mmCIF file of all heavy atoms in Angstrom:
data_model
loop_
_atom_site.group_PDB
_atom_site.id
_atom_site.type_symbol
_atom_site.label_atom_id
_atom_site.label_comp_id
_atom_site.label_asym_id
_atom_site.label_seq_id
_atom_site.Cartn_x
_atom_site.Cartn_y
_atom_site.Cartn_z
ATOM 1 N N TYR A 1 -39.595 -124.023 -1.998
ATOM 2 C CA TYR A 1 -40.221 -122.889 -1.224
ATOM 3 C C TYR A 1 -39.196 -122.066 -0.548
ATOM 4 O O TYR A 1 -39.099 -120.826 -0.554
ATOM 5 C CB TYR A 1 -41.238 -123.456 -0.180
ATOM 6 C CG TYR A 1 -41.505 -122.463 0.917
ATOM 7 C CD1 TYR A 1 -42.238 -121.322 0.723
ATOM 8 C CD2 TYR A 1 -41.090 -122.819 2.183
ATOM 9 C CE1 TYR A 1 -42.494 -120.444 1.831
ATOM 10 C CE2 TYR A 1 -41.260 -121.968 3.315
ATOM 11 C CZ TYR A 1 -41.996 -120.820 3.104
ATOM 12 O OH TYR A 1 -42.214 -119.991 4.127
ATOM 13 N N GLU A 2 -38.209 -122.727 0.148
ATOM 14 C CA GLU A 2 -37.181 -122.087 0.906
ATOM 15 C C GLU A 2 -36.340 -121.206 0.028
ATOM 16 O O GLU A 2 -35.983 -120.031 0.356
ATOM 17 C CB GLU A 2 -36.326 -123.114 1.653
ATOM 18 C CG GLU A 2 -35.335 -122.499 2.588
ATOM 19 C CD GLU A 2 -34.618 -123.566 3.412
ATOM 20 O OE1 GLU A 2 -34.786 -124.758 3.142
ATOM 21 O OE2 GLU A 2 -33.908 -123.185 4.389
ATOM 22 N N LYS A 3 -35.921 -121.666 -1.169
ATOM 23 C CA LYS A 3 -35.131 -120.921 -2.028
ATOM 24 C C LYS A 3 -35.825 -119.705 -2.568
ATOM 25 O O LYS A 3 -35.243 -118.612 -2.817
ATOM 26 C CB LYS A 3 -34.623 -121.829 -3.190
ATOM 27 C CG LYS A 3 -33.719 -121.155 -4.201
ATOM 28 C CD LYS A 3 -33.207 -122.098 -5.319
ATOM 29 C CE LYS A 3 -32.373 -121.391 -6.357
ATOM 30 N NZ LYS A 3 -31.971 -122.334 -7.490
ATOM 31 N N TYR A 4 -37.110 -119.954 -2.848
ATOM 32 C CA TYR A 4 -37.871 -118.816 -3.427
ATOM 33 C C TYR A 4 -38.177 -117.712 -2.437
ATOM 34 O O TYR A 4 -37.933 -116.514 -2.768
ATOM 35 C CB TYR A 4 -39.233 -119.401 -4.012
ATOM 36 C CG TYR A 4 -40.251 -118.370 -4.349
ATOM 37 C CD1 TYR A 4 -40.127 -117.636 -5.597
ATOM 38 C CD2 TYR A 4 -41.292 -117.940 -3.540
ATOM 39 C CE1 TYR A 4 -41.131 -116.749 -5.970
ATOM 40 C CE2 TYR A 4 -42.235 -117.006 -3.937
ATOM 41 C CZ TYR A 4 -42.123 -116.426 -5.158
ATOM 42 O OH TYR A 4 -43.063 -115.420 -5.489
ATOM 43 N N VAL A 5 -38.634 -117.964 -1.214
ATOM 44 C CA VAL A 5 -39.193 -117.021 -0.305
ATOM 45 C C VAL A 5 -38.027 -116.089 0.179
ATOM 46 O O VAL A 5 -38.341 -114.986 0.438
ATOM 47 C CB VAL A 5 -39.916 -117.665 0.807
ATOM 48 C CG1 VAL A 5 -39.005 -118.414 1.779
ATOM 49 C CG2 VAL A 5 -40.710 -116.695 1.582
ATOM 50 N N CYS A 6 -36.842 -116.608 0.300
ATOM 51 C CA CYS A 6 -35.801 -115.807 0.920
ATOM 52 C C CYS A 6 -35.264 -114.688 -0.045
ATOM 53 O O CYS A 6 -34.493 -113.833 0.298
ATOM 54 C CB CYS A 6 -34.613 -116.646 1.292
ATOM 55 S SG CYS A 6 -33.690 -117.446 -0.031
ATOM 56 N N GLN A 7 -35.804 -114.671 -1.352
ATOM 57 C CA GLN A 7 -35.406 -113.631 -2.218
ATOM 58 C C GLN A 7 -36.145 -112.302 -1.850
ATOM 59 O O GLN A 7 -35.697 -111.231 -2.383
ATOM 60 C CB GLN A 7 -35.925 -114.032 -3.668
ATOM 61 C CG GLN A 7 -35.358 -115.287 -4.194
ATOM 62 C CD GLN A 7 -36.009 -115.612 -5.514
ATOM 63 O OE1 GLN A 7 -35.983 -114.769 -6.462
ATOM 64 N NE2 GLN A 7 -36.568 -116.733 -5.635
ATOM 65 N N PHE A 8 -37.176 -112.278 -1.084
ATOM 66 C CA PHE A 8 -38.011 -111.108 -0.870
ATOM 67 C C PHE A 8 -37.843 -110.541 0.550
ATOM 68 O O PHE A 8 -37.580 -111.339 1.557
ATOM 69 C CB PHE A 8 -39.507 -111.449 -1.048
ATOM 70 C CG PHE A 8 -39.756 -112.079 -2.408
ATOM 71 C CD1 PHE A 8 -39.817 -113.406 -2.655
ATOM 72 C CD2 PHE A 8 -39.879 -111.207 -3.478
ATOM 73 C CE1 PHE A 8 -40.052 -113.946 -3.837
ATOM 74 C CE2 PHE A 8 -40.137 -111.752 -4.795
ATOM 75 C CZ PHE A 8 -40.156 -113.127 -4.920
ATOM 76 N N SER A 9 -37.853 -109.261 0.665
ATOM 77 C CA SER A 9 -37.642 -108.620 1.940
ATOM 78 C C SER A 9 -38.895 -108.545 2.820
ATOM 79 O O SER A 9 -38.803 -108.402 4.029
ATOM 80 C CB SER A 9 -37.218 -107.088 1.660
ATOM 81 O OG SER A 9 -38.147 -106.483 0.973
ATOM 82 N N CYS A 10 -40.076 -108.817 2.184
ATOM 83 C CA CYS A 10 -41.333 -108.760 2.979
ATOM 84 C C CYS A 10 -42.448 -109.551 2.254
ATOM 85 O O CYS A 10 -42.354 -109.742 1.022
ATOM 86 C CB CYS A 10 -41.798 -107.276 3.266
ATOM 87 S SG CYS A 10 -42.172 -106.440 1.717
ATOM 88 N N PRO A 11 -43.465 -109.938 2.958
ATOM 89 C CA PRO A 11 -44.549 -110.686 2.282
ATOM 90 C C PRO A 11 -45.213 -109.852 1.137
ATOM 91 O O PRO A 11 -45.670 -110.528 0.224
ATOM 92 C CB PRO A 11 -45.518 -110.945 3.459
ATOM 93 C CG PRO A 11 -44.700 -110.843 4.686
ATOM 94 C CD PRO A 11 -43.629 -109.828 4.424
ATOM 95 N N GLU A 12 -45.331 -108.596 1.397
ATOM 96 C CA GLU A 12 -45.985 -107.775 0.280
ATOM 97 C C GLU A 12 -45.200 -107.895 -1.009
ATOM 98 O O GLU A 12 -45.897 -107.996 -2.051
ATOM 99 C CB GLU A 12 -46.077 -106.319 0.702
ATOM 100 C CG GLU A 12 -47.039 -106.087 1.899
ATOM 101 C CD GLU A 12 -46.522 -106.344 3.212
ATOM 102 O OE1 GLU A 12 -45.306 -106.724 3.341
ATOM 103 O OE2 GLU A 12 -47.224 -106.223 4.229
ATOM 104 N N ASP A 13 -43.957 -107.857 -1.031
ATOM 105 C CA ASP A 13 -43.138 -107.979 -2.193
ATOM 106 C C ASP A 13 -43.338 -109.337 -2.826
ATOM 107 O O ASP A 13 -43.447 -109.464 -4.070
ATOM 108 C CB ASP A 13 -41.630 -107.786 -1.865
ATOM 109 C CG ASP A 13 -41.256 -106.305 -1.624
ATOM 110 O OD1 ASP A 13 -42.069 -105.473 -1.857
ATOM 111 O OD2 ASP A 13 -40.155 -106.088 -1.094
ATOM 112 N N GLN A 14 -43.384 -110.331 -2.052
ATOM 113 C CA GLN A 14 -43.632 -111.646 -2.535
ATOM 114 C C GLN A 14 -44.957 -111.905 -3.181
ATOM 115 O O GLN A 14 -45.110 -112.428 -4.296
ATOM 116 C CB GLN A 14 -43.494 -112.775 -1.408
ATOM 117 C CG GLN A 14 -43.512 -114.179 -1.902
ATOM 118 C CD GLN A 14 -44.906 -114.712 -2.055
ATOM 119 O OE1 GLN A 14 -45.785 -114.479 -1.202
ATOM 120 N NE2 GLN A 14 -45.102 -115.448 -3.139
ATOM 121 N N MET A 15 -45.965 -111.197 -2.614
ATOM 122 C CA MET A 15 -47.306 -111.360 -3.161
ATOM 123 C C MET A 15 -47.494 -110.712 -4.504
ATOM 124 O O MET A 15 -48.072 -111.067 -5.463
ATOM 125 C CB MET A 15 -48.336 -110.761 -2.188
ATOM 126 C CG MET A 15 -48.601 -111.678 -0.944
ATOM 127 S SD MET A 15 -49.853 -111.113 0.130
ATOM 128 C CE MET A 15 -51.300 -111.580 -0.837
ATOM 129 N N ARG A 16 -46.724 -109.504 -4.598
ATOM 130 C CA ARG A 16 -46.771 -108.725 -5.864
ATOM 131 C C ARG A 16 -46.056 -109.553 -6.936
ATOM 132 O O ARG A 16 -46.562 -109.654 -8.143
ATOM 133 C CB ARG A 16 -46.024 -107.414 -5.716
ATOM 134 C CG ARG A 16 -46.899 -106.324 -5.027
ATOM 135 C CD ARG A 16 -46.248 -104.995 -5.172
ATOM 136 N NE ARG A 16 -45.055 -104.868 -4.390
ATOM 137 C CZ ARG A 16 -45.064 -104.363 -3.074
ATOM 138 N NH1 ARG A 16 -46.205 -104.072 -2.469
ATOM 139 N NH2 ARG A 16 -43.921 -104.357 -2.437
ATOM 140 N N GLU A 17 -44.952 -110.170 -6.689
ATOM 141 C CA GLU A 17 -44.189 -111.010 -7.641
ATOM 142 C C GLU A 17 -45.008 -112.146 -8.058
ATOM 143 O O GLU A 17 -45.030 -112.527 -9.220
ATOM 144 C CB GLU A 17 -42.846 -111.482 -7.070
ATOM 145 C CG GLU A 17 -41.915 -111.983 -8.071
ATOM 146 C CD GLU A 17 -42.056 -113.474 -8.324
ATOM 147 O OE1 GLU A 17 -42.882 -114.120 -7.577
ATOM 148 O OE2 GLU A 17 -41.468 -114.016 -9.262
ATOM 149 N N PHE A 18 -45.683 -112.771 -7.140
ATOM 150 C CA PHE A 18 -46.519 -114.052 -7.427
ATOM 151 C C PHE A 18 -47.667 -113.590 -8.379
ATOM 152 O O PHE A 18 -47.998 -114.311 -9.317
ATOM 153 C CB PHE A 18 -47.116 -114.569 -6.151
ATOM 154 C CG PHE A 18 -47.804 -115.926 -6.302
ATOM 155 C CD1 PHE A 18 -47.043 -117.095 -6.455
ATOM 156 C CD2 PHE A 18 -49.207 -115.884 -6.354
ATOM 157 C CE1 PHE A 18 -47.770 -118.289 -6.549
ATOM 158 C CE2 PHE A 18 -49.820 -117.160 -6.504
ATOM 159 C CZ PHE A 18 -49.098 -118.384 -6.594
ATOM 160 N N ALA A 19 -48.267 -112.465 -8.107
ATOM 161 C CA ALA A 19 -49.389 -111.973 -8.935
ATOM 162 C C ALA A 19 -48.881 -111.676 -10.395
ATOM 163 O O ALA A 19 -49.560 -111.932 -11.378
ATOM 164 C CB ALA A 19 -49.992 -110.705 -8.445
ATOM 165 N N GLU A 20 -47.655 -111.161 -10.496
ATOM 166 C CA GLU A 20 -47.112 -110.812 -11.793
ATOM 167 C C GLU A 20 -46.643 -112.062 -12.598
ATOM 168 O O GLU A 20 -46.861 -112.121 -13.800
ATOM 169 C CB GLU A 20 -45.935 -109.823 -11.646
ATOM 170 C CG GLU A 20 -46.358 -108.478 -11.094
ATOM 171 C CD GLU A 20 -45.146 -107.647 -10.671
ATOM 172 O OE1 GLU A 20 -43.970 -108.132 -10.818
ATOM 173 O OE2 GLU A 20 -45.348 -106.465 -10.241
ATOM 174 N N GLN A 21 -46.057 -113.015 -11.906
ATOM 175 C CA GLN A 21 -45.352 -114.101 -12.571
ATOM 176 C C GLN A 21 -46.263 -115.369 -12.680
ATOM 177 O O GLN A 21 -45.988 -116.237 -13.483
ATOM 178 C CB GLN A 21 -44.075 -114.485 -11.867
ATOM 179 C CG GLN A 21 -43.028 -113.347 -11.850
ATOM 180 C CD GLN A 21 -42.601 -112.895 -13.234
ATOM 181 O OE1 GLN A 21 -42.418 -113.750 -14.084
ATOM 182 N NE2 GLN A 21 -42.427 -111.604 -13.446
ATOM 183 N N GLY A 22 -47.297 -115.380 -11.911
ATOM 184 C CA GLY A 22 -48.217 -116.567 -11.944
ATOM 185 C C GLY A 22 -47.833 -117.719 -11.013
ATOM 186 O O GLY A 22 -46.800 -117.681 -10.365
ATOM 187 N N PHE A 23 -48.637 -118.730 -11.104
ATOM 188 C CA PHE A 23 -48.479 -119.889 -10.129
ATOM 189 C C PHE A 23 -47.227 -120.722 -10.434
ATOM 190 O O PHE A 23 -46.845 -121.007 -11.582
ATOM 191 C CB PHE A 23 -49.620 -120.809 -10.266
ATOM 192 C CG PHE A 23 -49.611 -121.917 -9.296
ATOM 193 C CD1 PHE A 23 -50.230 -121.775 -8.089
ATOM 194 C CD2 PHE A 23 -48.996 -123.117 -9.602
ATOM 195 C CE1 PHE A 23 -50.145 -122.797 -7.082
ATOM 196 C CE2 PHE A 23 -48.995 -124.124 -8.673
ATOM 197 C CZ PHE A 23 -49.513 -124.008 -7.427
ATOM 198 N N ARG A 24 -46.490 -121.054 -9.408
ATOM 199 C CA ARG A 24 -45.407 -122.029 -9.398
ATOM 200 C C ARG A 24 -45.310 -122.689 -8.034
ATOM 201 O O ARG A 24 -45.610 -122.051 -6.994
ATOM 202 C CB ARG A 24 -44.002 -121.247 -9.537
ATOM 203 C CG ARG A 24 -43.767 -120.795 -11.030
ATOM 204 C CD ARG A 24 -43.027 -119.393 -10.910
ATOM 205 N NE ARG A 24 -43.957 -118.390 -10.385
ATOM 206 C CZ ARG A 24 -43.509 -117.369 -9.756
ATOM 207 N NH1 ARG A 24 -42.219 -117.082 -9.530
ATOM 208 N NH2 ARG A 24 -44.361 -116.428 -9.239
ATOM 209 N N MET A 25 -45.028 -123.964 -7.998
ATOM 210 C CA MET A 25 -44.921 -124.701 -6.751
ATOM 211 C C MET A 25 -43.781 -124.110 -6.039
ATOM 212 O O MET A 25 -42.752 -123.714 -6.496
ATOM 213 C CB MET A 25 -44.652 -126.218 -7.053
ATOM 214 C CG MET A 25 -45.815 -126.932 -7.614
ATOM 215 S SD MET A 25 -47.292 -126.965 -6.567
ATOM 216 C CE MET A 25 -46.760 -127.793 -5.118
ATOM 217 N N GLY A 26 -43.881 -124.162 -4.713
ATOM 218 C CA GLY A 26 -42.987 -123.477 -3.858
ATOM 219 C C GLY A 26 -43.408 -122.017 -3.636
ATOM 220 O O GLY A 26 -43.617 -121.569 -2.500
ATOM 221 N N ALA A 27 -43.545 -121.377 -4.791
ATOM 222 C CA ALA A 27 -43.980 -119.933 -4.737
ATOM 223 C C ALA A 27 -45.384 -119.896 -4.207
ATOM 224 O O ALA A 27 -45.755 -118.941 -3.422
ATOM 225 C CB ALA A 27 -43.929 -119.305 -6.129
ATOM 226 N N HIS A 28 -46.229 -120.956 -4.496
ATOM 227 C CA HIS A 28 -47.598 -120.920 -3.993
ATOM 228 C C HIS A 28 -47.661 -121.018 -2.413
ATOM 229 O O HIS A 28 -48.541 -120.472 -1.841
ATOM 230 C CB HIS A 28 -48.369 -122.094 -4.652
ATOM 231 C CG HIS A 28 -48.309 -123.362 -3.969
ATOM 232 N ND1 HIS A 28 -47.213 -124.111 -3.848
ATOM 233 C CD2 HIS A 28 -49.194 -124.029 -3.145
ATOM 234 C CE1 HIS A 28 -47.368 -125.263 -3.193
ATOM 235 N NE2 HIS A 28 -48.625 -125.199 -2.696
ATOM 236 N N LYS A 29 -46.686 -121.779 -1.821
ATOM 237 C CA LYS A 29 -46.720 -121.953 -0.401
ATOM 238 C C LYS A 29 -46.339 -120.594 0.137
ATOM 239 O O LYS A 29 -46.904 -120.127 1.334
ATOM 240 C CB LYS A 29 -45.717 -122.997 0.022
ATOM 241 C CG LYS A 29 -45.711 -123.298 1.510
ATOM 242 C CD LYS A 29 -47.004 -123.797 2.004
ATOM 243 C CE LYS A 29 -47.271 -125.189 1.620
ATOM 244 N NZ LYS A 29 -48.432 -125.839 2.366
ATOM 245 N N ALA A 30 -45.327 -119.867 -0.387
ATOM 246 C CA ALA A 30 -44.975 -118.535 0.125
ATOM 247 C C ALA A 30 -46.156 -117.572 -0.012
ATOM 248 O O ALA A 30 -46.377 -116.777 0.906
ATOM 249 C CB ALA A 30 -43.826 -118.014 -0.735
ATOM 250 N N PHE A 31 -46.967 -117.688 -1.106
ATOM 251 C CA PHE A 31 -48.094 -116.878 -1.272
ATOM 252 C C PHE A 31 -49.150 -117.100 -0.193
ATOM 253 O O PHE A 31 -49.734 -116.203 0.448
ATOM 254 C CB PHE A 31 -48.683 -117.104 -2.635
ATOM 255 C CG PHE A 31 -50.126 -116.457 -2.832
ATOM 256 C CD1 PHE A 31 -50.225 -115.103 -3.095
ATOM 257 C CD2 PHE A 31 -51.275 -117.231 -2.686
ATOM 258 C CE1 PHE A 31 -51.430 -114.524 -3.231
ATOM 259 C CE2 PHE A 31 -52.495 -116.668 -2.798
ATOM 260 C CZ PHE A 31 -52.559 -115.306 -3.032
ATOM 261 N N LEU A 32 -49.337 -118.434 0.163
ATOM 262 C CA LEU A 32 -50.328 -118.770 1.159
ATOM 263 C C LEU A 32 -49.838 -118.229 2.586
ATOM 264 O O LEU A 32 -50.673 -117.730 3.348
ATOM 265 C CB LEU A 32 -50.481 -120.270 1.258
ATOM 266 C CG LEU A 32 -51.255 -120.892 -0.017
ATOM 267 C CD1 LEU A 32 -51.135 -122.401 0.050
ATOM 268 C CD2 LEU A 32 -52.647 -120.439 -0.024
ATOM 269 N N PHE A 33 -48.535 -118.336 2.873
ATOM 270 C CA PHE A 33 -48.041 -117.706 4.124
ATOM 271 C C PHE A 33 -48.234 -116.157 4.022
ATOM 272 O O PHE A 33 -48.760 -115.637 5.088
ATOM 273 C CB PHE A 33 -46.523 -117.977 4.189
ATOM 274 C CG PHE A 33 -46.201 -119.180 5.045
ATOM 275 C CD1 PHE A 33 -45.484 -120.297 4.550
ATOM 276 C CD2 PHE A 33 -46.494 -119.285 6.355
ATOM 277 C CE1 PHE A 33 -45.120 -121.363 5.294
ATOM 278 C CE2 PHE A 33 -46.169 -120.420 7.198
ATOM 279 C CZ PHE A 33 -45.478 -121.409 6.578
ATOM 280 N N SER A 34 -47.875 -115.561 2.999
ATOM 281 C CA SER A 34 -47.909 -114.099 2.857
ATOM 282 C C SER A 34 -49.350 -113.594 2.974
ATOM 283 O O SER A 34 -49.586 -112.553 3.622
ATOM 284 C CB SER A 34 -47.332 -113.625 1.536
ATOM 285 O OG SER A 34 -45.935 -113.965 1.469
ATOM 286 N N ARG A 35 -50.288 -114.285 2.466
ATOM 287 C CA ARG A 35 -51.645 -113.890 2.555
ATOM 288 C C ARG A 35 -52.132 -113.694 4.002
ATOM 289 O O ARG A 35 -52.897 -112.873 4.340
ATOM 290 C CB ARG A 35 -52.557 -114.937 1.761
ATOM 291 C CG ARG A 35 -54.010 -114.506 1.546
ATOM 292 C CD ARG A 35 -54.688 -115.448 0.638
ATOM 293 N NE ARG A 35 -54.728 -116.793 1.122
ATOM 294 C CZ ARG A 35 -55.319 -117.804 0.467
ATOM 295 N NH1 ARG A 35 -55.893 -117.613 -0.668
ATOM 296 N NH2 ARG A 35 -55.327 -119.045 0.991
ATOM 297 N N THR A 36 -51.567 -114.607 4.919
ATOM 298 C CA THR A 36 -51.940 -114.486 6.252
ATOM 299 C C THR A 36 -51.004 -113.387 6.962
ATOM 300 O O THR A 36 -51.531 -112.691 7.745
ATOM 301 C CB THR A 36 -51.704 -115.851 6.937
ATOM 302 O OG1 THR A 36 -52.498 -116.912 6.305
ATOM 303 C CG2 THR A 36 -52.091 -115.778 8.461
ATOM 304 N N LEU A 37 -49.781 -113.348 6.616
ATOM 305 C CA LEU A 37 -48.814 -112.505 7.344
ATOM 306 C C LEU A 37 -49.178 -111.031 7.034
ATOM 307 O O LEU A 37 -48.786 -110.207 7.853
ATOM 308 C CB LEU A 37 -47.401 -112.791 6.839
ATOM 309 C CG LEU A 37 -46.857 -114.193 7.286
ATOM 310 C CD1 LEU A 37 -45.510 -114.503 6.561
ATOM 311 C CD2 LEU A 37 -46.768 -114.290 8.737
ATOM 312 N N THR A 38 -49.814 -110.691 5.843
ATOM 313 C CA THR A 38 -50.135 -109.375 5.642
ATOM 314 C C THR A 38 -51.390 -108.938 6.319
ATOM 315 O O THR A 38 -51.719 -107.704 6.280
ATOM 316 C CB THR A 38 -50.302 -109.129 4.112
ATOM 317 O OG1 THR A 38 -51.292 -110.059 3.573
ATOM 318 C CG2 THR A 38 -49.003 -109.374 3.358
ATOM 319 N N LYS A 39 -52.010 -109.822 6.976
ATOM 320 C CA LYS A 39 -53.346 -109.469 7.594
ATOM 321 C C LYS A 39 -53.362 -109.559 9.126
ATOM 322 O O LYS A 39 -54.113 -109.025 9.796
ATOM 323 C CB LYS A 39 -54.531 -110.349 7.054
ATOM 324 C CG LYS A 39 -54.796 -110.174 5.583
ATOM 325 C CD LYS A 39 -55.823 -111.126 5.128
ATOM 326 C CE LYS A 39 -56.109 -110.949 3.590
ATOM 327 N NZ LYS A 39 -57.071 -112.022 3.113
ATOM 328 N N PHE A 40 -52.364 -110.333 9.667
ATOM 329 C CA PHE A 40 -52.302 -110.650 11.037
ATOM 330 C C PHE A 40 -50.880 -110.533 11.620
ATOM 331 O O PHE A 40 -49.936 -110.622 10.883
ATOM 332 C CB PHE A 40 -52.833 -112.071 11.340
ATOM 333 C CG PHE A 40 -54.237 -112.357 10.803
ATOM 334 C CD1 PHE A 40 -54.319 -113.053 9.497
ATOM 335 C CD2 PHE A 40 -55.298 -111.982 11.389
ATOM 336 C CE1 PHE A 40 -55.536 -113.299 8.946
ATOM 337 C CE2 PHE A 40 -56.607 -112.285 10.865
ATOM 338 C CZ PHE A 40 -56.652 -112.922 9.575
ATOM 339 N N THR A 41 -50.802 -110.348 12.933
ATOM 340 C CA THR A 41 -49.458 -110.493 13.625
ATOM 341 C C THR A 41 -49.239 -111.948 13.942
ATOM 342 O O THR A 41 -50.148 -112.583 14.602
ATOM 343 C CB THR A 41 -49.469 -109.661 14.914
ATOM 344 O OG1 THR A 41 -49.675 -108.251 14.592
ATOM 345 C CG2 THR A 41 -48.222 -109.833 15.672
#
């Protein structure tokens, strides 16, 4: 998860990549974080 998430500048970029590339462990945890971070402070 740590290696994957630091590649992106913002949660929105990470969510787009996850949607394009499909499910991967580590990436899924970043997606779950991003899903919250894009909706709340």
